[in-house]
């Protein structure tokens, strides 16, 4: 774990550098009221031309701050240019148009090519490409009016006026490629988003692609307007600091992605955030072409989250290495920890190694964690008992060097063999699902209630406390095809001895407290 300890020091160094850069860029240049360019804050007048003129002129003159005073500024697509800051006063609202014609895709030459199609990546309310020293600050609000906009897009498709070629007939909604995001910045340098509230997107709320030196601080996300409302997506970026944010999203809260071969996320710091989500709170790897390196996640509070509190996944050939997750409090979450190495795409499977979880507390309910939401995650199409936390590679390709220390998870229990049942002598019934979309529920019914660990090389578990609100007929742990296991000071229910099941597991070390729970099977 020396690499992970060094990681935290290096990340803290760049955090200080980013903070200085952020302050400098957000306070640079003259301050100019947007009304001087003809903007009208009545919530009815479309200000796109006036606001774009203001941005263009301020950038051309070397930079400055455009001030939005009290009022509602209706606008369509705006392109943010270098050295421009948008400052929103506390009672200022930048209001997205509900007319799809007010949004244009930006045609970009010489952009990196992704093997994963993302035609919607350049469709947004606020878009920047290859800009530097840009910022959105203040205590005001950006409201995308996403539900209303999505309904108009849907209606135009059905009337034949604006056909969405990727329309989802199964889900009865326009595709992601047809719905604008609120913020989409790509290949930008020195970006700050600070203090504002961003809400009601028709698609992902914020996307940052291939950016360097990105600060997102004290941002509130309220986006439960429509489907695919990720709070923020970070794609193949370097030197990123996400701190003190409050996120309530109808999809993943903070999602790291990697779309581009030869590029990867590097030096990412996420801390002091509150997240509520109808999907996963913090997730990375559902798009994992390049990879993820040097990621620190610290002091996160998670509540009412339908899927995983923390999900770390490589399924498209990318690498994941040097990740430190600590001080997580997750209450009412569908799953605590999910780590997955799969092989959905790419010439060869990727790698997942050097992952540390420390000081994690989680509570998993018996029912749906998002029951009170108006936007709820889709129901699973099969019967199952409550899922454990899976840590799974694939045959011949192991997750390597993973440690868990000071972990406490409360599970609901109440499992029934009549509901679903994988007997311990039939562990081979658990499918590999090598090419499937990564999700903690992807394997169907699992034979343990606490952790399910398969195809892992080098796992340390120390001070692990697993509790049950009610009884569960399954063991707490199942380990299959695992090498180099070190378990110490496990606190498990005493109602039965066989809580740790080992199959094809080698090079093990257990203290006397843990040893009494072990059963080895063939």
């Amino acid at each position: 774990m020396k690499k992970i300890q060094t990681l935290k020091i290096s990340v803290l160094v760049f955090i200080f550098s980013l903070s200085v850069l952020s302050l400098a860029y957000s306070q640079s240049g003259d301050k100019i009221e947007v009304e001087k360019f003809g903007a009208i804050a009545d919530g009815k007048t479309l200000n796109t031309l006036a606001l774009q003129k203001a941005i263009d002129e301020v950038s051309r003159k070397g930079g400055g701050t455009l001030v939005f005073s009290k009022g509602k500024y209706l606008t369509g697509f705006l392109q943010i240019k270098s050295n421009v800051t948008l400052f929103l006063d506390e009672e200022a609202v930048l209001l997205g148009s509900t007319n799809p014609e007010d949004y244009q895709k930006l045609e970009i030459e010489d952009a990196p090519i992704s093997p994963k199609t993302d035609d919607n990546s350049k469709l947004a309310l606020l878009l920047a490409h290859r800009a530097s020293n840009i910022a959105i600050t203040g205590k005001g609000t950006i409201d995308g009016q996403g539900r209303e906009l999505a309904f108009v897009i849907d209606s135009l498709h059905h009337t034949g006026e604006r056909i969405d070629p990727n329309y989802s007939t199964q889900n009865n909604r326009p595709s992601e490629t047809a719905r604008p995001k609120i913020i989409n910045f790509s290949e930008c340098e020195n970006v700050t988003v600070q203090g504002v509230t961003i809400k009601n997107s028709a698609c992902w709320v914020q996307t940052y692609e291939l950016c360097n030196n990105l600060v997102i601080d004290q941002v509130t996300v309220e986006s439960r307007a429509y489907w695919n409302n990720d709070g923020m997506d970070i794609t193949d970026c370097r030197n990123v600091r996400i701190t003190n944010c409050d996120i309530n999203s109808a999809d993943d809260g903070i999602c790291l992605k990697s779309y581009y071969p030869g590029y990867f996320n590097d030096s990412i710091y996420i801390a002091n955030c509150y997240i509520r989500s109808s999907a996963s709170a913090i997730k990375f790897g559902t798009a994992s072409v390049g990879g993820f390196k040097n990621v620190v996640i610290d002091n996160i509070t998670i509540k009412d989250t339908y899927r995983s509190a923390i999900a770390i996944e490589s399924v498209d050939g990318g690498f994941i290495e040097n990740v430190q997750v600590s001080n997580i409090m997750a209450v009412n979450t569908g799953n605590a920890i999910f780590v997955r190495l799969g092989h959905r795409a790419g010439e060869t499977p990727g790698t997942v190694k050097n992952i540390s979880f420390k000081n994690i507390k989680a509570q998993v309910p018996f029912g749906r964690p998002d029951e009170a939401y108006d936007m709820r995650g889709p129901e699973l199409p099969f019967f199952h008992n409550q899922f454990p936390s899976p840590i799974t590679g694939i045959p011949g390709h192991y997750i390597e060097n993973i440690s868990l220390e000071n972990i406490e998870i409360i599970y609901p229990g109440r499992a029934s063999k009549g509901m679903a049942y994988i007997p311990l002598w039939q562990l081979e019934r658990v499918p590999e699902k090598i090419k499937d979309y990564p999700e903690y529920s992807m394997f169907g019914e699992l034979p343990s209630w606490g952790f399910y660990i398969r195809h892992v090389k080098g796992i340390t578990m120390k001070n692990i406390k697993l509790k049950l609100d009610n009884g569960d007929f399954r063991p707490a742990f199942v380990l299959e095809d695992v090498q180099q296991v070190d378990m110490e000071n496990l606190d498990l229910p005493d109602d039965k001895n066989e809580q740790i099941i080992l199959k094809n597991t080698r090079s093990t070390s257990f203290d006397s407290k843990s040893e009494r729970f072990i059963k080895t099977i063939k």
Side-chain angles (χ1 to χ4, degrees):
M1 289 300 157
K2 290 183 179 179
K3 289 183 178 179
I4 293 177
Q5 292 170 355
T6 304
L7 159 67
K8 191 166 187 178
I9 295 172
S10 62
V11 169
L12 290 173
V13 170
F14 92 75
I15 289 169
F16 176 77
S17 301
L18 283 180
S19 298
V20 174
L21 286 169
S22 169
L23 186 62
Y25 295 137
S26 62
Q27 294 183 350
S28 63
D30 296 331
K31 294 184 177 181
I32 307 169
E33 299 279 348
V34 294
E35 282 81 359
K36 292 184 178 180
F37 294 89
I40 299 172
D42 61 2
K44 299 177 182 179
T45 303
L46 189 66
N47 292 289
T48 309
L49 293 178
L51 294 177
Q52 190 62 61
K53 179 182 177 181
I55 292 167
D56 294 345
E57 186 168 328
V58 168
S59 179
R60 182 176 57 81
K61 290 184 176 181
T65 299
L66 287 170
V67 177
F68 292 76
S69 301
K70 179 180 178 180
K72 295 183 178 180
Y73 301 82
L74 181 67
T75 182
F77 154 75
L78 298 173
Q79 184 175 0
I80 312 302
K81 304 289 182 67
S82 292
N83 304 313
V84 172
T85 293
L86 305 185
F87 178 84
L88 280 68
D89 279 341
E90 188 168 3
E91 296 185 70
V93 180
L94 190 61
L95 202 58
S97 170
T98 59
N99 183 355
E101 299 295 335
D102 293 329
Y103 298 86
Q104 304 172 23
K105 288 185 180 179
L106 190 66
E107 298 298 329
I108 295 172
E109 298 180 358
D110 303 323
I113 298 174
S114 166
K116 301 176 72 65
T117 301
D118 187 19
D119 294 334
N120 191 32
S121 62
K122 303 300 177 286
L123 185 65
L125 177 64
L126 302 177
L127 191 147
H129 180 69
R130 294 177 183 166
S132 59
N133 308 335
I134 59 176
I136 302 171
T137 64
K139 295 184 178 181
T141 298
I142 305 172
D143 185 346
Q145 300 196 94
R147 184 172 293 183
E148 295 87 345
L149 176 58
F151 286 166
V152 174
I153 294 169
D154 185 80
S155 296
L156 292 175
H157 170 81
H158 287 292
T159 60
E161 298 174 65
R162 189 184 174 99
I163 296 296
D164 174 7
N166 300 309
Y167 190 90
S168 175
T169 54
Q170 178 181 355
N171 295 314
N172 195 33
R173 61 177 178 259
S175 66
E176 297 168 43
T177 60
R179 292 179 272 128
K181 304 167 188 175
I182 291 181
I183 294 176
N184 192 313
F185 293 170
S186 62
E187 298 184 65
C188 293
E189 294 272 344
N190 307 325
V191 177
T192 298
V193 181
Q194 188 173 45
V196 294
T197 294
I198 309 172
K199 65 181 185 180
N200 300 331
S201 182
C203 194
W204 300 330
V205 179
Q206 307 168 74
T207 295
Y208 305 90
E209 288 190 343
L210 299 161
C211 293
N212 182 33
N213 293 341
L214 167 64
V215 172
I216 304 173
D217 181 52
Q218 300 179 60
V219 170
T220 298
V221 174
E222 299 174 3
S223 200
R224 313 196 62 79
Y226 206 66
W227 296 96
N228 314 111
N229 268 191
D230 288 11
M232 56 185 73
D233 291 274
I234 310 297
T235 300
D236 293 317
C237 293
R238 294 178 293 119
N239 301 328
V240 177
R241 179 177 182 262
I242 302 170
T243 52
N244 308 308
C245 293
D246 187 331
I247 300 170
N248 185 354
S249 60
D251 210 318
D252 299 319
I254 299 175
C255 193
L256 308 185
K257 299 181 179 182
S258 179
Y259 280 116
Y260 300 100
Y263 297 87
F264 56 92
N265 293 278
D266 187 9
S267 299
I268 313 293
Y269 180 76
I270 303 169
N272 306 323
C273 295
Y274 172 90
I275 304 173
R276 186 175 187 255
S277 166
S278 283
S280 293
I282 298 179
K283 179 174 78 171
F284 51 98
T286 46
S288 46
V289 174
F292 311 84
K293 183 179 182 181
N294 303 327
V295 180
V296 171
I297 301 168
D298 184 50
N299 194 28
I300 308 295
T301 299
I302 298 163
K303 290 187 178 180
D304 306 336
T305 291
Y306 178 53
R307 292 177 178 155
S308 297
I310 306 291
I312 299 174
E313 310 152 355
S314 172
V315 293
D316 299 315
F319 65 84
I320 299 176
E321 60 183 56
N322 298 345
V323 178
Q324 179 175 299
V325 181
S326 59
N327 301 313
I328 307 297
M329 173 65 75
V331 177
N332 196 32
T333 184
N335 176 62
I337 297 168
F338 177 53
V339 183
R340 172 64 171 168
L341 171 61
H343 188 202
R344 180 177 63 177
E347 293 184 5
T348 60
T351 58
V352 177
K353 60 184 180 181
N354 300 335
I355 314 294
S356 168
F357 294 93
K358 189 173 183 179
N359 301 332
I360 314 289
K361 290 188 176 183
Q363 177 260 330
V364 178
F366 181 75
R368 291 186 61 116
D370 62 346
E371 185 66 34
Y373 289 21
D374 59 338
M375 296 287 293
R376 294 178 295 279
E379 292 279 4
L380 294 175
F382 57 89
F383 292 108
H384 61 88
N385 291 301
Q386 192 63 49
F387 296 107
S389 290
I391 301 173
T392 61
I394 56 178
H397 297 273
Y398 294 87
I399 292 171
E400 299 182 54
N401 190 22
I402 183 167
S403 74
L404 298 96
E405 184 177 356
N406 301 337
I407 310 294
E408 180 178 331
I409 307 176
I410 303 173
Y411 288 94
R414 294 179 60 185
S416 167
K417 291 184 180 180
M419 176 66 71
Y421 182 38
I422 300 286
L424 295 178
W425 60 274
Q426 288 185 323
L427 293 182
E428 67 278 1
R429 282 173 50 187
V430 179
E432 295 286 353
K433 298 289 185 75
I434 294 172
K435 295 183 177 295
D436 281 30
Y437 183 91
E439 196 62 79
Y440 75 96
S441 57
M442 64 186 295
F443 305 108
E445 179 70 7
L446 287 172
S448 55
W449 59 265
F451 282 88
Y452 177 74
I453 303 169
R454 182 169 64 175
H455 309 312
V456 175
K457 183 182 294 184
I459 182 167
T460 300
M461 305 187 83
K462 183 178 181 180
N463 300 333
I464 309 296
K465 184 175 184 178
L466 303 181
K467 298 171 65 177
L468 285 169
D469 287 333
N470 298 278
D472 198 308
F473 68 88
R474 300 169 296 178
F477 293 86
V478 167
L479 285 74
E480 183 177 4
D481 187 24
V482 180
Q483 302 177 28
Q484 302 167 20
V485 180
D486 187 353
M487 289 189 173
E488 180 183 343
N489 195 27
L490 301 186
D491 188 343
L492 304 175
D494 288 326
D495 58 337
K496 58 183 177 182
N497 291 327
E498 296 173 357
Q499 289 282 20
I500 304 172
I501 305 301
L502 307 180
K503 181 178 181 180
N504 189 24
T505 295
R506 302 178 296 282
S507 301
T508 61
S509 174
F510 297 93
D511 66 355
S512 57
K513 184 177 181 180
S514 307
E515 236 174 8
R516 69 186 182 91
F517 291 113
I518 295 172
K519 178 180 180 181
T520 300
I521 62 176
K522 295 182 179 181

